[in-house]
Amino acid sequence: MDNANAGLDQRWFDAADFQAEILVPFALESPLSGVGDRSFHLCVWYQRAFTMPPNWEGRRVRLNFGAVDYRATVWVNGTVVVSHEGGHTPFSCDITGALSAGGENSLVVRAEDPPTDRYIPRGKQHWEPQPASIFYARTTGIWQTVWLEPVQLSHLECIRITPSVDGPISVTAKISLPGQAQFVTMSISEDSRALAAAMSLADGPGAALSAQIPEPKLWSPDQPHLYILHLELHGPDGLLDSVDSYFGVRSVATQDGKVLLNGVPIYLKTVLDQGYWPESNLTPPSDDAIQNDIRIVKELGFNGVRKHQKVEDPRFLYWADRMGLLVAAEMANAYLFNEDAIARMTREWIEVVGRDYNHPSIVIWTPVNESWGVPNLAQPRQQAHLKALYYLTKSLDNTRLVIDNDGWEHTEVTDLFAIHDYTPTGKELQRRFQNVTQGVPLPMYGKMYSAPGSRYNGSPILLWEFGGVGYVRPQDLPAIPPDSWGYSGVEASAEPALNRIRGLYEAIAAIPQITGICYTQLYDVEQEINGLMTYDRRMKFDKAVIRELNSLL
């Protein structure tokens, strides 16, 4: 740890005798890291020795990072090989030229994460020393996987898959260091049965391919059908690189105030999922833990999750694709507005959409939550930035729906009118909507649902946060933080808590303009105790009861 920020001057990147140990990819604040230190740390350094496998001889070597929060500088054998800013997105580099010939190599990473800077996209990571209110422990440094891979000088860098429910599958492949007379081939299969193939000459740094699937099977939460995609890059001397991937064929759109999945109206039944674990913070502790969360969500009768203020680990999205779970993907926001915040948010959001474009589970993009990062939308600059993020997202991906500002202060450009409403009882919620024939009632608290100068645009209305009914099981009371709370109060026992949740569901079922919900929340997080499960994923209520409530919608 480098709290004095002295490591650069003291040339720690040349050091090979770091004394402390940490288990990567878990952040130092988490117990699984082996450190478990939640105090402020401006900079942290990592060092590891490694040797190259003999069978990698003659190939280029790439170093990959899943995510490092917030700014990373990387050295190999004392040479800077890459720098990256943005705590939620991947980066990589070719380190071949920095490697020692046949000997041991030293990898050093410096991660700088200013703990109190609210102009940095940080999501729920608190800028105060201890978690409080709706904010939790910080995640400093490496928190996703780090790996090496051997490649040819010219290789496939990334692919972008755009399926159509009518059958055409469009693929673009980006080629690193393209050469002369290169071409890319593509094959699509299902259960080891070939369905389609295509070939395209490379055009500079890329190639565009298209193939037709006869009568494609559509991806949905009930039937998450996936196709296998195989790509190869060839040059004059033969095969240079190959990659296997997958895709799902599905469409998402709106019509007449409804959300359509594959052309059919769907009621979005989602639950708020903040992507935290008590033992590992933002890093999933295992693939089994991810699958368990998704399995429980589906057993409770939900068809999706709203990933709240977190750019989720790609492993979660992989399992959502495989197991059939709709995902509303949301950027981790900054809280204040200036030119630095604009640049940081825009740059990282572009990387987020690019990283996750191929996942069929993602049906909604949300760049901003509750005006975080744009706290004064009466200012033309801030409202222009909010609208710019919507149009930027549409320019990057016009196949999905976009919520401009989740919760309130929507502009007229949003695809979905997502509101947050923690009315404590169903009777009161129904009364508030009773005399509203179009749009939504005035909010109970917080800001107006439309931004200054905007009005409701007729888009589908989502009750995108509600519930928040707190309850602690008697056996869990000794472990609950003293400042624990719930969005709409805390009940003393399970029965009144369930009665309130039931009343809210029954009211929503009687409000025709609501076309989707997001219950707050799937599990407790630190001092927030309004989960359907405890923080360590033990059910508070009977699964069958929650499933029956979701069946009302």
Side-chain angles (χ1 to χ4, degrees), residues 277-292:
W277 281 267
E279 67 270 40
S280 56
N281 292 5
L282 288 175
T283 308
S286 66
D287 277 44
D288 286 344
I290 296 171
Q291 293 176 69
N292 182 63

Side-chain angles (χ1 to χ4, degrees), residues 404-418:
D404 64 342
N405 188 10
D406 205 319
W408 54 52
E409 290 195 305
H410 289 287
T411 69
E412 68 279 0
V413 302
T414 191
D415 294 336
L416 299 166
F417 205 82

Side-chain angles (χ1 to χ4, degrees), residues 310-321:
K310 179 190 180 185
V311 178
E312 191 50 272
D313 189 302
R315 291 180 297 154
F316 181 95
L317 299 174
Y318 167 80
W319 287 112
D321 296 339

Side-chain angles (χ1 to χ4, degrees), residues 144-185:
Q144 289 185 24
T145 303
V146 184
W147 73 101
L148 294 168
E149 63 176 327
V151 297
Q152 298 294 339
L153 179 63
S154 183
H155 58 273
L156 294 169
E157 185 172 330
C158 63
I159 61 173
R160 178 181 171 102
I161 311 167
T162 307
S164 167
V165 295
D166 299 325
I169 310 301
S170 299
V171 177
T172 57
K174 186 177 180 181
I175 302 169
S176 178
L177 295 175
Q180 295 296 317
Q182 291 183 342
F183 64 95
V184 177
T185 63

